[in-house]
Amino acid sequence: MSDAMLYVVATPIGNLGDITHRAIEVLHSVALIAAEDTRHSGRLMAQFNIKTPMISVHDHNERQRVSTITKKLSEGESVALISDAGTPLISDPGFILVRAVREAGFKVVPIPGCSAVITALSAAGMPSNNFIFEGFLPAKRVGRKQQLLNIAEDTRTVIFYESTHRIIDSLTDMVEVLGADRYVVIARELTKTFETIHGDKLSALLEWVKNDHNQQKGEFVVLVSGAEPKKNTGFSSETLQILDILSAELPLKQACSIAAKITGEKKNALYQEALARKDGS
Ligand code: SAM
């Protein structure tokens, strides 16, 4: 195997002070930097006096760029992949390139650093042992609501990326699908001058954003607290369905007695369950 490597290099998400020593070293040392937007990354390069040549690799040319980059690697020259901000491949291009480079037998080396999702999670004060990262919600309302429905019952913290154009629409749909009382944190403009991390129940949060134009500007991470775990009743879903149908039509004791005969479960246990379901507990 050649010594040439593809480095996947994280860059800051706002504050240039967040670049790592290793990232700067690698960007200086490689033969070529593959950047999502070369003009945008030019500013970062100027700041750190990095003169390495750059080519663009974005959603529309990533497949074509694979051969340019693997050729460079086969000539023994290393390449760095960067995106406009944060860690490449995290809601950013690069997956096709990284897979192709690995399949071609070259080493891919991550140079870790910022990512908005982890930066937000580290300061939101929400359960973080388990979480789901959903990237951007769909732009259209129907798709967005469907995606929200898909995660509505999940008990893990769910994290989205959102842009200034859609933050109000997304929060509005969240109120509708997840309910006004779901606790949500929005982390805006992380590491930048107007960094704001604010949490509240969804309806209050939406009002807060609507009433302050400044809170609608910039880049957002939205962290949704997980749904309350459903109590494990120990009954099968079929048993619970039978119990629900009968208790809707009959006095509770009679419903439980019939349900016990159908399912073979104990009448008393079903009665306790039916009472709890009636109370909504
Ligand atoms: N690769 C990046 C990363 O590792 O976080 C994400 C790129 S994605 C195209 C851009 C989105 O990330 C923004 O729309 C926003 O949702 C989120 N984001 C990036 N920088 C951010 C920041 N400084 N504050 C809040 N969200 C940010």
Side-chain angles (χ1 to χ4, degrees):
M1 193 197 276
S2 135
D3 284 344
M5 297 174 195
L6 174 68
Y7 293 97
V8 182
V9 182
T11 58
I13 56 168
N15 187 329
L16 293 188
D18 292 332
I19 196 153
T20 67
H21 288 298
R22 229 176 134 210
I24 296 173
E25 262 169 40
V26 166
L27 294 175
H28 272 295
S29 71
V30 291
L32 183 68
I33 297 171
E36 189 183 0
D37 177 342
T38 52
R39 240 185 23 196
H40 176 97
S41 295
R43 291 193 281 278
L44 183 76
M45 301 307 143
Q47 177 75 24
F48 296 102
N49 201 23
I50 294 164
K51 304 239 158 54
T52 310
M54 286 198 275
I55 54 164
S56 68
V57 175
H58 46 68
D59 282 335
H60 305 292
N61 71 359
E62 195 175 343
R63 281 175 205 281
Q64 293 96 290
R65 287 301 198 213
V66 165
S67 55
T68 316
I69 289 168
T70 45
K71 183 163 176 284
K72 203 85 185 158
L73 294 168
S74 60
E75 289 163 2
E77 303 210 89
S78 289
V79 178
L81 172 69
I82 60 173
S83 61
D84 285 352
T87 302
L89 279 80
I90 309 303
S91 287
D92 265 338
F95 145 68
I96 292 168
L97 175 68
V98 166
R99 184 168 64 180
V101 166
R102 289 175 58 83
E103 281 173 4
F106 296 102
K107 207 167 161 193
V108 177
V109 179
I111 307 294
C114 280
S115 188
V117 52
I118 301 299
T119 308
L121 187 61
S122 72
M126 298 176 89
S128 52
N129 279 352
N130 281 313
F131 63 92
I132 328 175
F133 174 54
E134 287 276 297
F136 288 95
L137 280 164
K140 296 213 172 102
R141 192 130 205 251
V142 176
R144 193 161 57 224
K145 284 172 93 170
Q146 183 55 53
Q147 188 138 347
L148 288 170
L149 260 181
N150 294 344
I151 57 89
E153 299 296 320
D154 206 300
T155 54
R156 295 167 289 182
T157 300
V158 188
I159 307 176
F160 298 99
Y161 279 167
E162 198 45 272
S163 72
T164 188
H165 312 294
R166 279 199 285 273
I167 187 69
I168 289 188
D169 287 348
S170 286
L171 291 176
T172 304
D173 288 349
M174 284 182 189
V175 172
E176 224 170 276
V177 178
L178 307 176
D181 289 340
R182 188 76 75 99
Y183 182 78
V184 167
V185 171
I186 53 176
R188 184 178 75 91
E189 293 290 89
L190 290 165
T191 78
K192 303 186 207 175
T193 313
F194 296 109
E195 177 179 274
T196 314
I197 302 173
H198 181 76
D200 209 331
K201 289 184 174 178
L202 259 173
S203 52
L205 191 70
L206 174 60
E207 282 313 301
W208 182 75
V209 174
K210 274 186 175 167
N211 289 334
D212 183 350
H213 196 67
N214 286 327
Q215 297 306 336
Q216 300 164 23
K217 292 186 197 152
E219 300 188 283
F220 298 84
V221 182
V222 181
L223 305 97
V224 178
S225 59
E228 288 293 326
K230 287 225 164 80
K231 285 194 186 122
N232 186 357
T233 61
F235 294 117
S236 72
S237 57
E238 202 184 1
T239 297
L240 292 173
Q241 200 182 4
I242 291 167
L243 188 60
D244 285 343
I245 293 169
L246 291 172
S247 1
E249 302 292 333
L250 300 167
L252 220 48
K253 283 204 167 144
Q254 195 185 355
C256 293
S257 165
I258 299 173
K261 282 184 190 141
I262 299 172
T263 62
E265 297 285 357
K266 291 208 165 63
K267 195 167 68 184
N268 276 347
L270 285 172
Y271 187 66
Q272 292 309 320
E273 178 61 29
L275 281 178
R277 290 170 89 72
K278 241 184 146 188
D279 292 346
S281 53

